[in-house]
Amino acid sequence: MEVCRVLGLISGTSVDAIDAALAELRLTGDVIELAPGGHTEVGYPPDLRDELLAAGSCNPEQMCRLDTRIGQSFANAAATAIRELGQADVIASLGQTVYHWVEDGICRGTLQLGQPAWIAEKTGLPVISDLRARDVAAGGHGAPLAGLFDRLWLQDDVALNIGGIANITLPSDNFDRVGTFPGTRALSDGSERARGHMRNADERARAGYDSGARNQATDDDGSRNQATDNSGGRNQATGDTDPRNRAAFDTGPHNQATDNSDLHNRAMGNTGPHNQATGNTGPRNRAAFDTGPGNALLDAAAEMLTGQRFDKGGALALAGTVRKDLLDLLLEDPYYRLPAPKSTGKEHFNIGYLKAALAQVPEVTGPDLMATLVELTAVTIADACAGHRVVASGGGVRNPALMAALARHLDIVTSDALGIPSDAKEAYLTALLGFLTWHGIAADPRTGADGPRLLGSITPGRDPLRMPAPATTTVRQLRVVATLGGSLARS
């Protein structure tokens, strides 16, 4: 098969920027080779970001305006990426998730904005968009879609993406052994697991960050886990903590779901000569789901304390001490004990949720609050990862405090060490999803859908739509290469 250049576009729950990555992809037998072609990011206009953060209360007029303005912003990002990185054959856009509707553990719908016609008009290229809806219609959660990338790319490692919500992709042998996922039983009593992880909370909260190859991290606007100063105590206001008020954004990435325990061990085979599937008929089938908050509560706390969108360099968290009473309270959230499939998002883990928790404990200083939230993210991720090496990506890897906490609980590396930039992985995931659809290959990200589906809708570009002949083989592996035909970054 000829090389196909796909530009992937996505904006995660931080709503700070649109990530774009250009990938060269080629299907050879049952292996997709992916050569990273570079990545960039283009920020949203500040007023548009503010509107997006308030999108939950939009009326139809405001929703229409947002869909148009986000589409225009994505079009601008695509044009910028093509100018900087080179021409593409097709564009894939995951858009901007503004709502993810989950009730009683079932995803009922999902809404991504960013009208693809603006992208097609600006670039002249065909655009594949709305990549989550078909998975939801087939019974899945539509998130995290990263499980597809991870299942094909990694072998025995657990893949972790830390966006606003953290999600992982597990090897299925761990999924099978526990029945739901490792963290379900470990957290079933609420705080006991936290006590086990808090052998020395004060030391951990103040611990430094190992910048060696095993624990790489840099600054990431996707993480936005940065703040400056402590403005002191807690805000007593409360929010909606109804456990049914949950949803997921994938982030970067981002973008965020699970595999149905009845489906997770099923081999994915051909669905017809012109509609092949991604799969793995061996023992390495994997399941993907949201573990809980990644950066969501950290960012909310940073903005509440300092007016900044993130805790710069994790400085505030590193200066604090874990408050066990608050951590134990937060770990009582029913979400951590739900079985898979499940997904969550900022509809649940938000500033109102945090303020409600703070109102139930004695006053918490800013640094201690940040240190406790870092530990919450680290503990809930570690509980789900079952002792395997973890390959991390997403904005959270650029928060030194969070990476230090994770390194104390896990054997962790970043995806950079394996050839995929950690701050661009979800954009490369989007490119992969576009490649699959463009070539007639059904995808199953193991979020609970009833089998593989062709994902997305296609908006033609300037020229008549000429798609390649559908693939006739089942895809079983993704191989990241330095260049197509060149040396492998990871076999």
Side-chain angles (χ1 to χ4, degrees), residues 425-450:
K425 183 186 170 191
E426 288 201 317
Y428 282 115
L429 158 68
T430 309
L432 173 65
L433 293 170
F435 177 85
L436 294 174
T437 298
W438 192 241
H439 290 86
I441 302 170
D444 189 351
R446 300 294 201 275
T447 72
D450 187 21

Side-chain angles (χ1 to χ4, degrees), residues 95-115:
Q96 178 69 65
T97 301
V98 295
Y99 195 76
H100 194 73
W101 177 21
V102 178
E103 285 186 3
D104 300 323
I106 299 171
C107 185
R108 310 286 184 178
T110 187
L111 178 62
Q112 287 72 48
L113 298 184
Q115 173 53 243

Side-chain angles (χ1 to χ4, degrees), residues 39 41 64 89 94 102 126 133 144 186 244 248 256 267 271 281 343 352-353 392 402:
H39 63 280
E41 64 178 26
C64 178
D89 299 309
L94 267 170
V102 178
R244 291 184 60 183
Q256 354 37 282
T271 58
T281 57
S343 58
Y353 173 94
L402 180 55

Side-chain angles (χ1 to χ4, degrees), residues 130 139 209 246 307-308 367:
D130 202 19
Y209 175 63
R246 300 188 181 94
Q308 303 297 316

Side-chain angles (χ1 to χ4, degrees), residues 244-256:
R244 291 184 60 183
N245 187 20
R246 300 188 181 94
F249 297 145
D250 195 330
T251 79
H254 323 344
N255 313 240
Q256 354 37 282

